[in-house]
């Protein structure tokens, strides 16, 4: 994995406000043409040095899967997706094969790839042409993260625990918006330092709550497309870039709050999806974006032990030209 042309981080000249806010020929707020390996996006921040360092997070050898079952969200929150149907077949009575029908790769715990959103009025990440974003064509496909899995220090930030302690416990039934400044506050509360190349995991408790809610509640939220998430603010992409976050994953439906806030600064630049922040995170910054991750057991372990880091491996499906994929994420402590 190669490094960036300009070392990105909180230093003068490499911060978001200095390096990305105004671009010649590229969308403002984008990291287009900054990375040597565009297909990896900000996963470039997690190179061999970060992997070697993250290995020090392993102490007891405990292993945590961060994926919910493929059929956990049935029906999925997205009305355009369905849970897969699993069929077992046999050529004769001594053998078994199987296949999935209706397998939407982003219906359960998954990564949004860099093909998932284009920049309105510009194009796909790094200026990749629309004519190459087709099935079987490699540019920006999830196979870039399968051929060279995303590995590094997984840092868990317990936003749910922080807000509960502050007397502002998240009411997931109401789909609250979370300000980006909770990330720095959570890190201070946990006495951890966000490091360049971190794979950031944000626990809100939404997915666990949703799966335990009654069918009527789940159906109402699905129809309303209502879910807890980060407020649409310029602070979030700026903070992620300035801290060199390699991957950003949460246990929420869309990372950002839905419905989109009226105060979103992106209504004019992302009109197709009502001012969502996805184009800022995926199509501009190139961040591997994780949604619906299963962080329940990991946060329980962290709260009990006071340990918030792990060696994290993320290996999506090796699907050439894939838009998204189950995350296949494993945290090792």
């Amino acid at each position: 994995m190669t490094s960036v042309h300009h070392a990105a981080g909180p230093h003068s000249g490499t911060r978001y406000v200095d390096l990305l806010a105004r671009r010649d020929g590229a969308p403002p707020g984008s990291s287009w043409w900054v990375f040597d390996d565009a297909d990896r996006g900000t996963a470039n921040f997690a190179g061999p040095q970060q992997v070697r360092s993250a290995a020090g997070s392993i102490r007891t050898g405990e292993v945590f899967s961060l994926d919910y079952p493929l059929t956990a969200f049935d029906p999925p929150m997205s009305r355009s997706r369905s849970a897969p149907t699993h069929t077992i077949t046999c050529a004769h009575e001594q053998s078994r094969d199987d296949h999935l029908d209706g397998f939407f790769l982003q219906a359960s715990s998954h990564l949004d790839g860099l093909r998932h959103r284009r920049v309105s009025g510009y194009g796909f990440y790094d200026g990749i042409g629309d004519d190459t974003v087709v099935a079987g064509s490699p540019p920006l496909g999830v196979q870039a993260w399968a051929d060279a899995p995303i590995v590094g220090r997984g840092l868990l930030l317990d936003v749910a625990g922080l807000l509960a302690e502050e007397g502002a416990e998240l009411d997931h039934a109401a789909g609250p918006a979370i300000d980006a400044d909770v990330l720095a506050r959570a890190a201070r509360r946990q006495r951890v330092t966000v490091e360049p190349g971190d794979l950031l995991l944000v626990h809100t408790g939404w997915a666990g709550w949703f799966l335990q809610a009654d069918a009527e509640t789940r159906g109402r939220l699905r129809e309303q497309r209502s879910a807890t998430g980060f407020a649409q603010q310029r602070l979030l992409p700026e903070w992620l870039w300035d801290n060199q976050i390699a991957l950003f994953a949460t246990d929420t439906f869309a990372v950002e709050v839905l419905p989109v806030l009226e105060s979103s600064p992106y209504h004019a630049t992302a009109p197709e999806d009502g001012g969502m922040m996805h184009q800022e995170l995926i199509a501009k910054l190139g961040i591997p974006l994780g949604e619906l991750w299963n962080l329940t057991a990991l946060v329980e372990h962290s709260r009990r032990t006071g340990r918030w880091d792990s060696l994290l491996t993320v290996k999506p499906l090796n699907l050439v030209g894939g838009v998204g994929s189950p995350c296949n994420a494993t945290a090792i402590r």
Side-chain angles (χ1 to χ4, degrees), residues 138-156:
L140 305 184
V142 295
Q143 82 287 335
W145 301 330
D147 289 337
I150 306 173
V151 180
R153 186 179 81 137
L155 180 63
L156 177 63

Side-chain angles (χ1 to χ4, degrees), residues 264-332:
S264 169
Y266 306 119
H267 284 292
T269 56
E272 298 86 356
D273 47 21
M276 284 183 69
M277 197 162 41
H278 263 44
Q279 84 161 359
E280 302 298 316
L281 302 176
I282 296 172
K284 289 188 178 182
L285 288 191
I287 295 179
L289 206 61
E291 297 170 338
L292 297 174
W293 284 31
N294 184 356
L295 304 178
T296 301
L298 192 66
V299 79
E300 288 175 354
H301 184 269
S302 291
R303 289 174 176 177
R304 186 173 67 252
T305 63
R307 294 182 52 207
W308 301 96
D309 62 337
S310 59
L311 174 67
L312 180 61
T313 67
V314 181
K315 188 183 187 303
L317 296 178
N318 201 339
L319 176 63
V320 176
V323 171
S325 170
C327 51
N328 295 327
T330 303
I332 309 170

Side-chain angles (χ1 to χ4, degrees), residues 118-318:
R118 72 192 298 281
V119 182
S120 300
Y122 286 90
F124 287 95
Y125 181 70
D126 220 52
I128 297 298
D130 290 9
D131 58 340
T132 67
V133 181
V134 295
S137 174
L140 305 184
V142 295
Q143 82 287 335
W145 301 330
D147 289 337
I150 306 173
V151 180
R153 186 179 81 137
L155 180 63
L156 177 63
L157 295 182
D158 184 12
V159 166
L162 166 75
L163 294 176
E165 188 176 276
E166 293 179 345
E169 186 170 356
L170 290 168
D171 178 7
H172 294 303
I178 303 170
D179 288 335
D181 62 7
V182 301
L183 298 172
R185 297 209 314 273
R188 287 195 297 270
R189 171 180 175 264
Q190 295 169 203
R191 298 181 181 180
V192 296
T193 300
V194 178
E195 298 177 356
D198 275 349
L199 283 56
L200 203 63
L201 309 174
V202 178
H203 172 256
T204 71
W206 184 87
W209 172 86
F210 180 82
L211 291 174
Q212 293 178 9
D214 58 68
E216 181 180 353
T217 299
R218 295 196 305 272
R220 173 176 57 82
L221 295 180
R222 183 175 186 264
E223 288 305 309
Q224 295 175 348
R225 206 165 183 255
S226 173
T228 299
F230 281 92
Q232 288 82 21
Q233 298 172 324
R234 299 192 190 280
L235 177 60
L236 183 60
E238 291 182 13
W239 189 91
L240 294 174
W241 178 264
D242 286 349
N243 285 280
Q244 297 185 3
I245 300 304
L247 175 149
F248 188 56
T250 79
D251 57 357
T252 65
F253 167 50
V255 172
E256 56 187 297
V257 67
L258 292 175
V260 175
L261 300 178
E262 292 185 6
S263 60
S264 169
Y266 306 119
H267 284 292
T269 56
E272 298 86 356
D273 47 21
M276 284 183 69
M277 197 162 41
H278 263 44
Q279 84 161 359
E280 302 298 316
L281 302 176
I282 296 172
K284 289 188 178 182
L285 288 191
I287 295 179
L289 206 61
E291 297 170 338
L292 297 174
W293 284 31
N294 184 356
L295 304 178
T296 301
L298 192 66
V299 79
E300 288 175 354
H301 184 269
S302 291
R303 289 174 176 177
R304 186 173 67 252
T305 63
R307 294 182 52 207
W308 301 96
D309 62 337
S310 59
L311 174 67
L312 180 61
T313 67
V314 181
K315 188 183 187 303
L317 296 178
N318 201 339

